[in-house]
C-alpha cells in the first residue's frame, strides 16, 4: 500500500467525519499529516454511538488496518515469559509476561480495557488514557457495540444502570490485532486506600480471567487497571495484579497459555520487574 493511498483515505475520512459531526463540519485543519490524524482522532473521540454509512465504515476500516500494519503487531511469541527474562522464584513464571508498549499493537486473544461505568469509551479528544486509545484504533464500531450492550442491560436493570466495578464485558476488537476486548471498571480511590478497594481490584483480574476461560480465550493482556485517573496506588496495584493472577492460575490449571502485564510508563515497568526479580515480596 502506498503512502499516497493512506493519505487519500485520511483526507476522505476527515471530510466525512467533519460532515458527520455537524458542529465541526467547517473545521479548518492544517495541511500536515499529523494535524489531520489528530483531527480525525478527535472527531472519532467525541462521536456519539450513532449509525454510520457503510462506505465510511469500510474506508475507516481500511485506514485503521493500515495504521495497525504500520505500527506492527506483537504476538505472545514475540514476548519473553517471566521465566525467560527474570531470575526470581515466581509462581507460573512460564505463563506470565511483562511487556512495555502500546497495548493496541498486541495480537493476543484479548486485551483488557480500563473502562468507566458508562462503558462507552473516553469522549475527551486526544486524551492519553487507554480507554481513548483502544476505542480510537478499534474504530467507531466498538463504541456502538458497547452502547448496544449497555442498552440491553438498561432494559433489564433500569434506565440508570451503569456497569458495576469488576464486572467485565466482552466485545469484538474490530480493527485491533487482538481478537477481543474485555472492558472492566476498576475501583476508584477517592481517599485512603481500603481493603475493599484491594478486593475489588483483585476481582477485576479474577473475573476477567474467568471470562477468558468461559470464552475460550487463552492469551490476555492486562493494562494497569485503576492506576491512572482512578488513583489506585501503582505499587500496590502491581502486587495485587500479579498475586490475583497467580492465585487464579493455581485454581484453573491448563486454562490459560499466557497472561501479559502491559505497561506504558517506565515507573510501572520497574514495579513489575521488582516483583518478578524477587526484590519485592508479594503480600
Amino acid at each position: 500500500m502506498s503512502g499516497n493511498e493512506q493519505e487519500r483515505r485520511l483526507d476522505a475520512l476527515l471530510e466525512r467525519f467533519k460532515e458527520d459531526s455537524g458542529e465541526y463540519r467547517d473545521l479548518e485543519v492544517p495541511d500536515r499529516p499529523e494535524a489531520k490524524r489528530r483531527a480525525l482522532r478527535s472527531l472519532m473521540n467525541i462521536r456519539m454511538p450513532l449509525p454510520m454509512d457503510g462506505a465510511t465504515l469500510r474506508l475507516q476500516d481500511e485506514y485503521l488496518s493500515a495504521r495497525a500494519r504500520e505500527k506492527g503487531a506483537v504476538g505472545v511469541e514475540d514476548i519473553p515469559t517471566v521465566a525467560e527474562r527474570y531470575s526470581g522464584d515466581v509462581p507460573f513464571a512460564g505463563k506470565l509476561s511483562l511487556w512495555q508498549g502500546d497495548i493496541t499493537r498486541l495480537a493476543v486473544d484479548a486485551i483488557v480495557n480500563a473502562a468507566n461505568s458508562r462503558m462507552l469509551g473516553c469522549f475527551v479528544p486526544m486524551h492519553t488514557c487507554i480507554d481513548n486509545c483502544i476505542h480510537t484504533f478499534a474504530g467507531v464500531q466498538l463504541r456502538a457495540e458497547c452502547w448496544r450492550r449497555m442498552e440491553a442491560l438498561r432494559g433489564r436493570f433500569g434506565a440508570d444502570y451503569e456497569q458495576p466495578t469488576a464486572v467485565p464485558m466482552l466485545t469484538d476488537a474490530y480493527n485491533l490485532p487482538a481478537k477481543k476486548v474485555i472492558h472492566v471498571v476498576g475501583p476508584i480511590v477517592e481517599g485512603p486506600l481500603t481493603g475493599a478497594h484491594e478486593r475489588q481490584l483483585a476481582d477485576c483480574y479474577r473475573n476477567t480471567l474467568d471470562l477468558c476461560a468461559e470464552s475460550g480465550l487463552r492469551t490476555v493482556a492486562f493494562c494497569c487497571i485503576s492506576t491512572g485517573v482512578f488513583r489506585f496506588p501503582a505499587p500496590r496495584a502491581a502486587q495485587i495484579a500479579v498475586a490475583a493472577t497467580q492465585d487464579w492460575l493455581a485454581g484453573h490449571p491448563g486454562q490459560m497459555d499466557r497472561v501479559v502485564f502491559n505497561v506504558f510508563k517506565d515507573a510501572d515497568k520497574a514495579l513489575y520487574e521488582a516483583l518478578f526479580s524477587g526484590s519485592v515480596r508479594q503480600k
Side-chain angles (χ1 to χ4, degrees), residues 49-81:
L50 301 171
M52 177 168 271
D53 68 275
T56 300
L57 287 177
R58 286 190 294 273
L59 185 61
Q60 175 215 244
D61 292 349
E62 292 171 358
Y63 172 76
L64 291 176
S65 295
R67 287 292 306 274
R69 290 192 296 271
E70 290 167 8
K71 293 193 294 183
V74 178
V76 291
E77 66 278 5
D78 304 311
I79 305 173
T81 65

Side-chain angles (χ1 to χ4, degrees), residues 8 22 30 39 58 66 74 109 133 139 144 161 171 176 181 201 241 253:
R8 182 195 67 78
R58 286 190 294 273
V74 178
D109 288 346
C133 191
Y161 176 85
T171 68
L176 298 171
V181 179
L201 185 62

Side-chain angles (χ1 to χ4, degrees), residues 3 16 42 80 95 104 117 119 139 147 165 188 191 197 209 218 252 263 276 283:
R16 294 188 187 193
S42 296
K95 290 183 176 290
T104 66
S117 60
M119 291 300 236
W147 172 261
T165 300
I188 300 173
H197 292 135
L209 290 166
R218 300 189 63 86
H252 301 79
V263 298
F276 293 144
K283 296 180 181 179

Side-chain angles (χ1 to χ4, degrees), residues 61-118:
D61 292 349
E62 292 171 358
Y63 172 76
L64 291 176
S65 295
R67 287 292 306 274
R69 290 192 296 271
E70 290 167 8
K71 293 193 294 183
V74 178
V76 291
E77 66 278 5
D78 304 311
I79 305 173
T81 65
V82 168
E84 294 167 333
R85 178 173 284 182
Y86 302 100
S87 59
D89 183 15
V90 178
F92 302 100
K95 290 183 176 290
L96 305 177
S97 291
L98 172 64
W99 187 76
Q100 183 179 26
D102 178 357
I103 200 170
T104 66
R105 294 180 60 200
L106 292 179
V108 292
D109 288 346
I111 60 172
V112 178
N113 179 27
N116 57 58
S117 60
R118 294 176 64 199

Side-chain angles (χ1 to χ4, degrees), residues 21 48 66 100 102 112 117 123 131 137 161 174 186 198 203 208 225 235:
S21 73
M48 296 300 292
Q100 183 179 26
D102 178 357
V112 178
S117 60
F123 284 85
D131 201 8
F137 292 102
Y161 176 85
Y174 299 97
E198 295 184 336
D203 284 344
T208 295
I225 301 169

Side-chain angles (χ1 to χ4, degrees), residues 112-117 119 163-168 183-208 222-234 236-238 240-241 244:
V112 178
N113 179 27
N116 57 58
S117 60
M119 291 300 236
Q163 192 74 355
T165 300
V167 178
H183 311 260
V184 67
V185 182
I188 300 173
V189 181
E190 295 179 322
L193 185 67
T194 68
H197 292 135
E198 295 184 336
R199 289 189 293 273
Q200 287 176 331
L201 185 62
D203 284 344
C204 287
Y205 288 88
R206 286 191 287 259
N207 294 346
T208 295
F222 282 103
C223 62
C224 297
I225 301 169
S226 281
T227 61
V229 296
F230 284 12
R231 299 180 295 277
F232 201 108
R236 185 65 181 130
I240 291 169

